[in-house]
Amino acid sequence: MKNTWQLIKKGNTSSAIAALGNTGLAIIKGIAASVSGSGTMFASAMHSVADAVNQGFVFVGSVLAERKPTKKFPTGFGRVINLVCMVAVIVVTIMAYETILKGFKLLKHPEEATNFWLNFIVLAIAVIIDGSILVKAMKEIMKETRVQASGLALLPAAFKNAGRAAPPTRLVFYEDIVATLGALFALVAIIFAYFFNFLILDGIATILIGCLMVGVAFKVGYDNMVGLIGVAAPNEVEEKISQIILGDPDVRDINRLRILQEGRNYHVEAYIELKKGMTLAEAGHSKMRINALLTQDTNISDVTLGILEDDGIKLWNPSEDLNHPSQ
């Protein structure tokens, strides 16, 4: 029981908060949609249901991914989160189809919604909650990628570094961009329908929300497909690790370096060239020292180092090699 609780505490915070927030939103949006008959409210409710289910799945997956390697699974369970995110993509796609279908029905047969103020208040609450979850996800991206940004710089920095964040954090970030935009679209649609009797905008907003959901499904699906196959770490990570290795006084060159990203973890494999004339014991001490330095980073799950004697030929050139992270 204690171990289970420790794993839960290591689960992705953003997805847990998002799952709880979207569950509450799905309930109040569903009630508002059934009372008012608003198509955009229905679409927004569907999206919140999809988000709640997805992010709940993702949180469970992030907990399972934290399990320690076993004899049967020596590389750990990091890619479990990619599998779970792929399930989430299927859920989003189904919900998107239903939402777009509803939008086309509303275009053909516009329906006048009732209870304007109920819809307005619910959607305003949705914008605030989804916006808050989005800000939390952006801050989580900054934390995971160790980038400093705040205020208006937070959004562009989150977009730039989202690819290096953990899969569940990326999922929450992209989904809540859509959720916040979707709530804003729905809010605009009910305002125009109520004050200008522009009922067709209800169907248009519903279709737009569905299309945004498709975009999220494609983006998240692609990212996690790449993660399942196995992808090289970003250039910044390779540069940082190579600097740590070359910073050791006994290292003369890096013969080969491969860093595989798995979830938010990195597997490092390298052949390093040590200065000439070292004994096997001295070389072993150097190897252990470098290994210890690398594994101080909590995102580096394991390090495999091979040692060679310096051959006098400089192989590692960061300006060239960083363009080939799988080398």
mmCIF file of all heavy atoms in Angstrom, residues 239-254 272-274 286 289-290 293-294 314 316:
data_model
loop_
_atom_site.group_PDB
_atom_site.id
_atom_site.type_symbol
_atom_site.label_atom_id
_atom_site.label_comp_id
_atom_site.label_asym_id
_atom_site.label_seq_id
_atom_site.Cartn_x
_atom_site.Cartn_y
_atom_site.Cartn_z
ATOM 1 N N GLU A 239 23.450 18.138 -25.858
ATOM 2 C CA GLU A 239 24.524 19.100 -25.602
ATOM 3 C C GLU A 239 24.880 19.123 -24.118
ATOM 4 O O GLU A 239 26.063 19.129 -23.748
ATOM 5 C CB GLU A 239 24.093 20.493 -26.057
ATOM 6 C CG GLU A 239 25.165 21.555 -25.870
ATOM 7 C CD GLU A 239 24.722 22.911 -26.373
ATOM 8 O OE1 GLU A 239 23.505 23.090 -26.623
ATOM 9 O OE2 GLU A 239 25.583 23.799 -26.500
ATOM 10 N N LYS A 240 23.857 19.119 -23.281
ATOM 11 C CA LYS A 240 24.093 19.158 -21.836
ATOM 12 C C LYS A 240 24.858 17.914 -21.366
ATOM 13 O O LYS A 240 25.831 18.010 -20.609
ATOM 14 C CB LYS A 240 22.753 19.252 -21.106
ATOM 15 C CG LYS A 240 22.858 19.195 -19.597
ATOM 16 C CD LYS A 240 21.471 19.165 -18.970
ATOM 17 C CE LYS A 240 21.559 18.940 -17.466
ATOM 18 N NZ LYS A 240 20.227 18.847 -16.839
ATOM 19 N N ILE A 241 24.425 16.729 -21.843
ATOM 20 C CA ILE A 241 25.058 15.480 -21.428
ATOM 21 C C ILE A 241 26.487 15.389 -21.959
ATOM 22 O O ILE A 241 27.409 14.972 -21.249
ATOM 23 C CB ILE A 241 24.212 14.275 -21.887
ATOM 24 C CG1 ILE A 241 22.915 14.235 -21.065
ATOM 25 C CG2 ILE A 241 24.975 12.959 -21.745
ATOM 26 C CD1 ILE A 241 21.917 13.196 -21.509
ATOM 27 N N SER A 242 26.693 15.821 -23.196
ATOM 28 C CA SER A 242 28.051 15.776 -23.763
ATOM 29 C C SER A 242 28.986 16.717 -23.011
ATOM 30 O O SER A 242 30.172 16.406 -22.815
ATOM 31 C CB SER A 242 28.022 16.127 -25.252
ATOM 32 O OG SER A 242 27.612 17.471 -25.461
ATOM 33 N N GLN A 243 28.477 17.854 -22.557
ATOM 34 C CA GLN A 243 29.317 18.788 -21.796
ATOM 35 C C GLN A 243 29.723 18.199 -20.446
ATOM 36 O O GLN A 243 30.847 18.411 -19.985
ATOM 37 C CB GLN A 243 28.559 20.104 -21.589
ATOM 38 C CG GLN A 243 28.470 20.961 -22.846
ATOM 39 C CD GLN A 243 27.638 22.211 -22.639
ATOM 40 O OE1 GLN A 243 26.957 22.371 -21.620
ATOM 41 N NE2 GLN A 243 27.660 23.103 -23.617
ATOM 42 N N ILE A 244 28.789 17.461 -19.817
ATOM 43 C CA ILE A 244 29.116 16.805 -18.548
ATOM 44 C C ILE A 244 30.229 15.780 -18.752
ATOM 45 O O ILE A 244 31.192 15.718 -17.978
ATOM 46 C CB ILE A 244 27.868 16.131 -17.944
ATOM 47 C CG1 ILE A 244 26.853 17.188 -17.510
ATOM 48 C CG2 ILE A 244 28.250 15.243 -16.752
ATOM 49 C CD1 ILE A 244 25.520 16.607 -17.065
ATOM 50 N N ILE A 245 30.097 14.984 -19.818
ATOM 51 C CA ILE A 245 31.100 13.948 -20.095
ATOM 52 C C ILE A 245 32.459 14.573 -20.412
ATOM 53 O O ILE A 245 33.491 14.196 -19.853
ATOM 54 C CB ILE A 245 30.639 13.050 -21.258
ATOM 55 C CG1 ILE A 245 29.382 12.259 -20.864
ATOM 56 C CG2 ILE A 245 31.755 12.086 -21.673
ATOM 57 C CD1 ILE A 245 28.748 11.486 -22.002
ATOM 58 N N LEU A 246 32.460 15.562 -21.310
ATOM 59 C CA LEU A 246 33.726 16.187 -21.720
ATOM 60 C C LEU A 246 34.331 17.045 -20.612
ATOM 61 O O LEU A 246 35.525 17.376 -20.655
ATOM 62 C CB LEU A 246 33.499 17.044 -22.971
ATOM 63 C CG LEU A 246 33.150 16.267 -24.245
ATOM 64 C CD1 LEU A 246 32.741 17.221 -25.352
ATOM 65 C CD2 LEU A 246 34.322 15.404 -24.689
ATOM 66 N N GLY A 247 33.508 17.399 -19.624
ATOM 67 C CA GLY A 247 34.013 18.199 -18.513
ATOM 68 C C GLY A 247 34.869 17.405 -17.548
ATOM 69 O O GLY A 247 35.570 17.984 -16.703
ATOM 70 N N ASP A 248 34.839 16.076 -17.644
ATOM 71 C CA ASP A 248 35.679 15.257 -16.770
ATOM 72 C C ASP A 248 37.141 15.389 -17.206
ATOM 73 O O ASP A 248 37.449 15.297 -18.405
ATOM 74 C CB ASP A 248 35.242 13.797 -16.839
ATOM 75 C CG ASP A 248 35.950 12.943 -15.805
ATOM 76 O OD1 ASP A 248 37.051 12.430 -16.115
ATOM 77 O OD2 ASP A 248 35.419 12.806 -14.692
ATOM 78 N N PRO A 249 38.072 15.569 -16.277
ATOM 79 C CA PRO A 249 39.485 15.792 -16.639
ATOM 80 C C PRO A 249 40.142 14.620 -17.366
ATOM 81 O O PRO A 249 41.143 14.810 -18.064
ATOM 82 C CB PRO A 249 40.156 16.034 -15.283
ATOM 83 C CG PRO A 249 39.233 15.442 -14.262
ATOM 84 C CD PRO A 249 37.866 15.634 -14.812
ATOM 85 N N ASP A 250 39.599 13.407 -17.233
ATOM 86 C CA ASP A 250 40.208 12.246 -17.886
ATOM 87 C C ASP A 250 39.675 11.995 -19.296
ATOM 88 O O ASP A 250 40.237 11.192 -20.037
ATOM 89 C CB ASP A 250 39.975 10.987 -17.038
ATOM 90 C CG ASP A 250 40.726 11.040 -15.717
ATOM 91 O OD1 ASP A 250 41.730 11.779 -15.639
ATOM 92 O OD2 ASP A 250 40.308 10.356 -14.763
ATOM 93 N N VAL A 251 38.580 12.676 -19.669
ATOM 94 C CA VAL A 251 37.947 12.430 -20.976
ATOM 95 C C VAL A 251 38.609 13.301 -22.040
ATOM 96 O O VAL A 251 38.798 14.497 -21.864
ATOM 97 C CB VAL A 251 36.426 12.717 -20.912
ATOM 98 C CG1 VAL A 251 35.805 12.567 -22.303
ATOM 99 C CG2 VAL A 251 35.751 11.764 -19.930
ATOM 100 N N ARG A 252 38.959 12.661 -23.148
ATOM 101 C CA ARG A 252 39.568 13.377 -24.260
ATOM 102 C C ARG A 252 38.598 13.539 -25.447
ATOM 103 O O ARG A 252 38.731 14.466 -26.231
ATOM 104 C CB ARG A 252 40.835 12.639 -24.735
ATOM 105 C CG ARG A 252 41.959 12.637 -23.712
ATOM 106 C CD ARG A 252 42.474 14.050 -23.490
ATOM 107 N NE ARG A 252 43.527 14.093 -22.462
ATOM 108 C CZ ARG A 252 43.301 14.389 -21.193
ATOM 109 N NH1 ARG A 252 42.058 14.652 -20.781
ATOM 110 N NH2 ARG A 252 44.283 14.445 -20.323
ATOM 111 N N ASP A 253 37.657 12.629 -25.559
ATOM 112 C CA ASP A 253 36.739 12.689 -26.708
ATOM 113 C C ASP A 253 35.535 11.789 -26.446
ATOM 114 O O ASP A 253 35.576 10.914 -25.560
ATOM 115 C CB ASP A 253 37.468 12.243 -27.979
ATOM 116 C CG ASP A 253 36.734 12.645 -29.259
ATOM 117 O OD1 ASP A 253 35.748 13.407 -29.168
ATOM 118 O OD2 ASP A 253 37.137 12.180 -30.332
ATOM 119 N N ILE A 254 34.468 12.015 -27.210
ATOM 120 C CA ILE A 254 33.310 11.114 -27.217
ATOM 121 C C ILE A 254 33.302 10.399 -28.560
ATOM 122 O O ILE A 254 33.187 11.033 -29.612
ATOM 123 C CB ILE A 254 31.988 11.875 -27.017
ATOM 124 C CG1 ILE A 254 31.973 12.569 -25.650
ATOM 125 C CG2 ILE A 254 30.797 10.928 -27.129
ATOM 126 C CD1 ILE A 254 30.741 13.443 -25.408
ATOM 127 N N ILE A 272 33.368 6.567 -24.570
ATOM 128 C CA ILE A 272 34.185 7.741 -24.293
ATOM 129 C C ILE A 272 35.666 7.372 -24.373
ATOM 130 O O ILE A 272 36.066 6.271 -24.025
ATOM 131 C CB ILE A 272 33.860 8.331 -22.904
ATOM 132 C CG1 ILE A 272 34.010 7.279 -21.803
ATOM 133 C CG2 ILE A 272 32.454 8.907 -22.891
ATOM 134 C CD1 ILE A 272 33.772 7.826 -20.408
ATOM 135 N N GLU A 273 36.462 8.314 -24.874
ATOM 136 C CA GLU A 273 37.902 8.098 -24.994
ATOM 137 C C GLU A 273 38.597 8.793 -23.827
ATOM 138 O O GLU A 273 38.441 10.001 -23.623
ATOM 139 C CB GLU A 273 38.411 8.640 -26.326
ATOM 140 C CG GLU A 273 37.842 7.881 -27.525
ATOM 141 C CD GLU A 273 38.416 8.363 -28.844
ATOM 142 O OE1 GLU A 273 39.409 9.127 -28.810
ATOM 143 O OE2 GLU A 273 37.878 7.986 -29.904
ATOM 144 N N LEU A 274 39.380 8.019 -23.066
ATOM 145 C CA LEU A 274 40.104 8.539 -21.911
ATOM 146 C C LEU A 274 41.576 8.784 -22.278
ATOM 147 O O LEU A 274 42.082 8.244 -23.266
ATOM 148 C CB LEU A 274 40.006 7.560 -20.742
ATOM 149 C CG LEU A 274 38.578 7.205 -20.279
ATOM 150 C CD1 LEU A 274 38.642 6.201 -19.128
ATOM 151 C CD2 LEU A 274 37.808 8.446 -19.860
ATOM 152 N N SER A 286 37.145 6.529 -13.327
ATOM 153 C CA SER A 286 36.666 7.645 -14.151
ATOM 154 C C SER A 286 35.265 7.358 -14.686
ATOM 155 O O SER A 286 34.388 8.228 -14.681
ATOM 156 C CB SER A 286 37.631 7.888 -15.314
ATOM 157 O OG SER A 286 38.901 8.273 -14.852
ATOM 158 N N ARG A 289 32.746 7.746 -11.952
ATOM 159 C CA ARG A 289 32.576 9.151 -11.615
ATOM 160 C C ARG A 289 31.639 9.842 -12.615
ATOM 161 O O ARG A 289 30.726 10.586 -12.221
ATOM 162 C CB ARG A 289 33.937 9.844 -11.578
ATOM 163 C CG ARG A 289 33.876 11.308 -11.162
ATOM 164 C CD ARG A 289 35.263 11.900 -10.973
ATOM 165 N NE ARG A 289 36.061 11.861 -12.187
ATOM 166 C CZ ARG A 289 37.182 11.155 -12.315
ATOM 167 N NH1 ARG A 289 37.625 10.401 -11.324
ATOM 168 N NH2 ARG A 289 37.873 11.197 -13.445
ATOM 169 N N ILE A 290 31.861 9.577 -13.895
ATOM 170 C CA ILE A 290 31.014 10.185 -14.936
ATOM 171 C C ILE A 290 29.584 9.652 -14.840
ATOM 172 O O ILE A 290 28.610 10.407 -14.962
ATOM 173 C CB ILE A 290 31.604 9.896 -16.332
ATOM 174 C CG1 ILE A 290 32.976 10.559 -16.466
ATOM 175 C CG2 ILE A 290 30.672 10.384 -17.431
ATOM 176 C CD1 ILE A 290 33.785 10.081 -17.647
ATOM 177 N N LEU A 293 27.807 11.415 -12.066
ATOM 178 C CA LEU A 293 27.448 12.790 -12.420
ATOM 179 C C LEU A 293 26.199 12.826 -13.301
ATOM 180 O O LEU A 293 25.306 13.656 -13.098
ATOM 181 C CB LEU A 293 28.615 13.463 -13.157
ATOM 182 C CG LEU A 293 29.789 13.945 -12.303
ATOM 183 C CD1 LEU A 293 30.932 14.410 -13.197
ATOM 184 C CD2 LEU A 293 29.336 15.086 -11.388
ATOM 185 N N LEU A 294 26.137 11.927 -14.281
ATOM 186 C CA LEU A 294 24.997 11.904 -15.204
ATOM 187 C C LEU A 294 23.707 11.507 -14.501
ATOM 188 O O LEU A 294 22.641 12.095 -14.741
ATOM 189 C CB LEU A 294 25.281 10.954 -16.370
ATOM 190 C CG LEU A 294 26.382 11.384 -17.349
ATOM 191 C CD1 LEU A 294 26.662 10.275 -18.355
ATOM 192 C CD2 LEU A 294 25.990 12.668 -18.076
ATOM 193 N N LYS A 314 40.024 13.670 -33.129
ATOM 194 C CA LYS A 314 38.859 14.322 -32.538
ATOM 195 C C LYS A 314 37.607 13.962 -33.340
ATOM 196 O O LYS A 314 37.496 14.285 -34.523
ATOM 197 C CB LYS A 314 39.054 15.842 -32.537
ATOM 198 C CG LYS A 314 37.984 16.615 -31.797
ATOM 199 C CD LYS A 314 38.083 16.413 -30.303
ATOM 200 C CE LYS A 314 37.115 17.321 -29.551
ATOM 201 N NZ LYS A 314 37.116 17.075 -28.103
ATOM 202 N N TRP A 316 34.201 14.079 -31.746
ATOM 203 C CA TRP A 316 32.987 14.768 -31.273
ATOM 204 C C TRP A 316 33.073 16.257 -31.569
ATOM 205 O O TRP A 316 33.885 16.978 -31.027
ATOM 206 C CB TRP A 316 32.806 14.550 -29.778
ATOM 207 C CG TRP A 316 31.508 15.112 -29.266
ATOM 208 C CD1 TRP A 316 31.330 16.249 -28.547
ATOM 209 C CD2 TRP A 316 30.211 14.565 -29.449
ATOM 210 N NE1 TRP A 316 30.004 16.448 -28.270
ATOM 211 C CE2 TRP A 316 29.290 15.415 -28.813
ATOM 212 C CE3 TRP A 316 29.730 13.412 -30.096
ATOM 213 C CZ2 TRP A 316 27.918 15.174 -28.793
ATOM 214 C CZ3 TRP A 316 28.365 13.177 -30.074
ATOM 215 C CH2 TRP A 316 27.475 14.040 -29.436
#
